[in-house]
Amino acid sequence: MSDEREMTFIMHTPEGDVTMQVLFTFYSQETNANYMLYTPDELGTDAPISLSACRYDPDDLTRIFPLEGDADRNVVQGFINYISTHTPEEIEKAAPLI
């Protein structure tokens, strides 16, 4: 059984504070970095969501960092491609591997 906890954070933007919902976190051995995919959009509707990605420090979740170059973008795109083409059960089973 999976542990489905909702994780959110507040992003301070020039337009004001925005609540972001974390969708996925993962580690890449290729880049030796932790990544987070998040959205400001409400989930559970049929509306499309905007997706953002960043690096983050798992020891200090108040620190997020922009992606750094093509290697980061390729890792994130590969992860998005993987989760887009596999069932939730396959993703959960492979979670220790990705």
Side-chain angles (χ1 to χ4, degrees):
M1 188 166 159
S2 68
D3 179 16
E4 294 185 23
R5 293 176 283 165
E6 185 176 300
M7 186 173 17
T8 61
F9 65 95
I10 304 295
M11 181 175 283
H12 307 291
T13 71
E15 294 79 30
D17 291 350
V18 179
T19 300
M20 301 292 182
Q21 183 161 348
V22 177
L23 303 174
F24 295 97
T25 60
F26 65 98
Y27 172 79
S28 169
Q29 291 180 339
E30 180 181 334
T31 58
N32 194 33
N34 291 281
Y35 297 92
M36 176 187 303
L37 300 178
Y38 59 93
T39 184
D41 300 320
E42 184 177 337
L43 302 179
T45 68
D46 290 334
I49 64 166
S50 60
L51 185 63
S52 297
C54 65
R55 286 179 172 233
Y56 77 99
D57 180 349
D59 296 321
D60 182 357
L61 296 177
T62 65
R63 298 182 52 155
I64 63 172
F65 310 96
L67 299 181
E68 298 177 357
D70 289 342
D72 278 351
R73 285 187 282 284
N74 290 339
V75 165
V76 169
Q77 188 61 55
F79 182 80
I80 292 169
N81 292 346
Y82 179 83
I83 61 173
S84 298
T85 58
H86 291 77
T87 66
E89 293 80 16
E90 291 171 321
I91 295 167
E92 186 173 322
K93 189 181 288 186
L97 304 176
I98 56 177

